[in-house]
Amino acid sequence: MSSPSPSNPAPRRLAGRTALVTGSSRGVGKLVAEAMAREGASRVIVHGRSEASCADVLALVRATGAEGVALTAELAEPAQVEALADRVLALGGVDILYNNAAVMHPWRESIDLHTQQDWAWSFQVNVFALVRLCARLIPSMREKHWGRIVNVTSGIDKTPQLAGYGSSKWAVDKFTDDLAAELKGSGVIVSRLDPGWLRTDLGGPHAPNAPESVLPGALVPVLLSDDAAGGQFFRAQDYRRDA
Ligand SMILES: NC(=O)c1ccc[n+]([C@@H]2O[C@H](COP(=O)([O-])OP(=O)(O)OC[C@H]3O[C@@H](n4cnc5c(N)ncnc54)[C@H](OP(=O)(O)O)[C@@H]3O)[C@@H](O)[C@H]2O)c1
């Protein structure tokens, strides 16, 4: 078999698909949004909290030939989550929902130093917004009998200093399991993905992995075949090109 070349380009495995990637103004989401556009997605909706923060990723998406749309929403505000869903549905919904955006509260040395706000913020952005986007965007996927949802989780373990963040990711895992059971046989496949510890703004400068190492693994749950099981757990670092 010949290798991909300019005259024999690699097949674009998401040709004609539309996608929303939350938190795609930077970090993991930015890489995923551009990668999906390179795979032929016809429209990639990028998301951040401001138009300015989305400008770079929008340009990267459009440079592939895909349609790029930027939508802004503060996911800590439930009304803005609903407004984001409204605007996505007004565009016809999406085939792929990549729930990537998340916040991490400050490091707290002991549980008595955790605040109510640490937990409320973590759960609103990381869990409740994700659940609402699923609830609002899945019905149109079901109508088309095709959809892929990726809920980004974390391998964080035994880190009580970030218990509010870690617990929110545990809730994402549990919700994904339940949702997979509900979606069985619908053509809509939900997965969860741990990107690995990366040197993004969230992961910090001491993380062992470059942000780019999240690819190609981060696209594996998007590219699942129609007979794949729902509720699978993927570790992006397992698919590293240098592994
Ligand atoms: N980096 C790691 O080591 C690591 C490890 C395990 C799991 N993860 C998970 O991977 C995902 C991506 O993380 P990352 O490292 O790429 O994060 P990041 O670099 O900090 O980027 C976060 C993204 O989420 C958006 N965002 C942040 N707060 C938001 C809010 N309140 N409302 C709406 N959007 C908001 C940001 O948009 P703005 O530009 O508007 O701020 C940005 O696009 C997260 O789910 C994270 O939990 C990361």
Side-chain angles (χ1 to χ4, degrees):
M1 210 169 78
S2 58
S3 306
S5 66
S7 59
N8 178 30
R12 305 208 321 155
R13 295 171 289 180
L14 295 176
R17 302 293 186 195
T18 59
L20 165 65
V21 188
T22 65
S24 45
S25 55
R26 51 196 165 92
V28 169
K30 182 177 183 179
L31 289 156
V32 166
E34 184 189 7
M36 288 209 275
R38 285 190 188 285
E39 283 288 356
S42 55
R43 175 190 289 150
V44 179
I45 303 174
V46 302
H47 157 261
R49 284 174 295 178
S50 70
E51 298 269 353
S53 73
C54 292
D56 281 357
V57 66
L58 202 54
L60 291 169
V61 165
R62 289 175 176 164
T64 69
E67 180 189 356
V69 177
L71 296 180
T72 60
E74 167 56 75
L75 300 181
E77 296 293 337
Q80 292 195 32
V81 177
E82 301 301 330
L84 174 62
D86 289 343
R87 285 179 286 166
V88 173
L89 290 172
L91 290 167
V94 284
D95 302 310
I96 301 159
L97 169 59
Y98 211 108
N99 278 312
N100 166 76
V103 292
M104 191 168 72
H105 65 74
W107 186 265
R108 307 290 190 198
E109 282 304 333
S110 57
I111 195 62
D112 52 302
L113 298 175
H114 282 243
T115 66
Q116 163 73 17
Q117 176 61 11
D118 290 339
W119 284 70
W121 186 51
S122 301
F123 272 71
Q124 171 54 40
V125 175
N126 303 357
V127 185
F128 303 155
L130 175 153
V131 170
R132 286 304 301 159
L133 290 174
C134 288
R136 297 288 312 280
L137 301 182
I138 284 174
S140 71
M141 294 181 188
R142 273 184 177 279
E143 279 174 18
K144 291 182 263 184
H145 305 289
W146 199 95
R148 297 289 181 269
I149 302 165
V150 183
N151 292 334
V152 178
T153 183
S154 171
I156 194 167
D157 188 32
K158 296 186 177 54
T159 311
Q161 299 87 348
L162 295 172
Y165 171 78
S167 299
S168 75
K169 292 300 189 179
W170 172 85
V172 168
D173 292 344
K174 170 64 177 145
F175 170 67
T176 305
D177 277 351
D178 282 347
L179 185 59
E182 178 178 314
L183 294 175
K184 195 168 181 194
S186 69
V188 182
I189 301 175
V190 62
S191 307
R192 55 204 173 101
L193 176 106
D194 170 16
W197 188 13
L198 311 170
R199 290 186 293 277
T200 61
D201 292 338
L202 186 147
H206 304 299
N209 303 302
E212 293 73 20
S213 67
V214 80
L215 293 172
L219 283 203
V220 170
V222 172
L223 295 167
L224 290 174
S225 61
D226 292 345
D227 59 354
Q232 292 190 70
F233 174 47
F234 296 93
R235 288 185 185 85
Q237 297 299 312
D238 289 348
Y239 298 86
R240 283 177 71 129
R241 293 199 173 94
D242 57 357

